[in-house]
Amino acid sequence: MFENQSQGPVEPPRVVVELAGGAPVEVVWRNEAGGVTFRAGERYLKWAPAGTRADLAAEAERLRWAGAYAVVPRVLDQGADDGGTWLVTAALAGTAAVQPRWKREPATAVRAIGAGLRALHDALPVADCPFEWSAASRYARAVGLRTEPAHWHREHRRLGTVDRALALVAEAPPVDRPVVCHGDACAPNTLIGADGRWSGHVDLGALGVADRWADLAVATWSTTWNYGPGWERPLLDAYGIDPDPERTAYYRLLWDLS
């Protein structure tokens, strides 16, 4: 979700170099958990060091399922060794919605994100989905993790204690509409084509059935991080839905805790 620019150069693990097959390897993304995404030609190689929480085998399984219905990366390889796990996928057309061009054109970007998320929700069949991302399961995870307030977004730190925050997410609002959620619908995970329309979705490691507001709350929230204030409503308009402050607040806090 967050790129960490302060870690310095990254030396690709041996297995990543081997999987690249002689193509130049370029770092395109680093997360706070130590995972790195590399590009090698027309392939992306995700690497998660041993001991991190990333489950790339689970992501590969979700991509294979979702690929029958939606534009997501095609899995080329997935595996593990003592050093960590990896996932190799074919590149999709388009660029991430946070690339410089789209940051200069936020109206185009947020329309693409909203329309793309609606298309994804409409395309993936809930009845056939073997994965879930329910509020109940995420709450149970949050109880186990007990993520400290220092790691929360600023607006949640005022809650003060983990117990107080957990009490607020113990009971979810009634489900508006169950869909197969992306699971990390932040702006960087929508790809946009040269025509300004969404062209695909990436990073579906948490994909599963949940209330659509589990995605919408985070997608709108991420517009403030990437484009500044004022872009939440245009994203909802592109999706085709009115704001829902209660569900938005609930799923944003659950996001921080889980």
Side-chain angles (χ1 to χ4, degrees), residues 13-142:
R14 177 186 54 81
V15 67
V16 168
V17 175
E18 292 174 355
L19 289 166
V25 176
E26 172 192 6
V27 176
V28 295
W29 191 260
R30 285 179 280 177
N31 63 38
E32 293 181 334
V36 187
T37 300
F38 302 89
R39 180 160 188 163
E42 293 303 308
R43 290 177 291 170
Y44 283 90
L45 301 90
K46 280 190 173 184
W47 166 257
T52 60
R53 293 192 328 208
D55 189 342
L56 297 184
E59 182 170 358
E61 188 179 4
R62 284 161 171 78
L63 288 174
R64 290 187 179 105
W65 178 82
Y69 310 99
V71 184
V72 302
R74 179 167 57 91
V75 176
L76 302 176
D77 191 16
Q78 194 280 315
D81 61 18
D82 290 342
T85 60
W86 61 85
L87 171 62
V88 185
T89 58
L92 294 177
T95 57
V98 294
Q99 289 298 309
R101 174 185 171 181
W102 306 122
K103 287 198 170 186
R104 293 191 298 268
E105 301 178 35
T108 300
V110 297
R111 281 198 303 270
I113 295 167
L117 189 59
R118 180 57 182 263
L120 186 71
H121 287 172
D122 288 347
L124 297 175
V126 172
D128 296 334
C129 182
F131 315 108
E132 62 94 15
W133 195 50
S134 67
S137 65
R138 295 175 66 199
Y139 171 72
R141 174 181 169 84

Side-chain angles (χ1 to χ4, degrees), residues 7-254:
Q7 297 177 355
V10 174
E11 183 69 26
R14 177 186 54 81
V15 67
V16 168
V17 175
E18 292 174 355
L19 289 166
V25 176
E26 172 192 6
V27 176
V28 295
W29 191 260
R30 285 179 280 177
N31 63 38
E32 293 181 334
V36 187
T37 300
F38 302 89
R39 180 160 188 163
E42 293 303 308
R43 290 177 291 170
Y44 283 90
L45 301 90
K46 280 190 173 184
W47 166 257
T52 60
R53 293 192 328 208
D55 189 342
L56 297 184
E59 182 170 358
E61 188 179 4
R62 284 161 171 78
L63 288 174
R64 290 187 179 105
W65 178 82
Y69 310 99
V71 184
V72 302
R74 179 167 57 91
V75 176
L76 302 176
D77 191 16
Q78 194 280 315
D81 61 18
D82 290 342
T85 60
W86 61 85
L87 171 62
V88 185
T89 58
L92 294 177
T95 57
V98 294
Q99 289 298 309
R101 174 185 171 181
W102 306 122
K103 287 198 170 186
R104 293 191 298 268
E105 301 178 35
T108 300
V110 297
R111 281 198 303 270
I113 295 167
L117 189 59
R118 180 57 182 263
L120 186 71
H121 287 172
D122 288 347
L124 297 175
V126 172
D128 296 334
C129 182
F131 315 108
E132 62 94 15
W133 195 50
S134 67
S137 65
R138 295 175 66 199
Y139 171 72
R141 174 181 169 84
V143 170
L145 288 174
R146 295 189 65 83
T147 304
E148 290 298 319
H151 299 289
W152 302 346
H153 287 80
R154 186 174 304 161
E155 56 261 52
H156 294 146
R157 291 177 196 161
R158 60 180 174 75
L159 296 173
T161 68
V162 178
D163 287 338
R164 184 180 180 194
L166 287 171
L168 292 173
V169 295
E171 185 174 348
V175 172
D176 171 37
R177 175 189 163 196
V179 301
V180 180
C181 280
H182 180 290
D184 187 358
C186 298
N189 293 332
T190 294
L191 302 183
I192 305 178
D195 61 358
R197 299 174 182 271
W198 71 274
S199 60
H201 294 91
V202 298
D203 289 346
L204 290 93
L207 176 144
V209 175
D211 188 342
R212 59 182 171 179
W213 283 97
D215 267 352
L216 285 165
V218 174
T220 51
W221 203 12
S222 80
T223 65
T224 66
W225 314 328
N226 292 287
Y227 312 112
W231 296 107
E232 296 189 42
R233 184 59 186 261
L235 187 152
L236 294 177
D237 288 344
Y239 184 94
I241 196 170
D242 291 328
D244 188 325
E246 179 186 1
R247 290 185 175 91
T248 297
Y250 174 85
Y251 283 107
R252 287 180 180 179
L253 179 55
L254 186 61

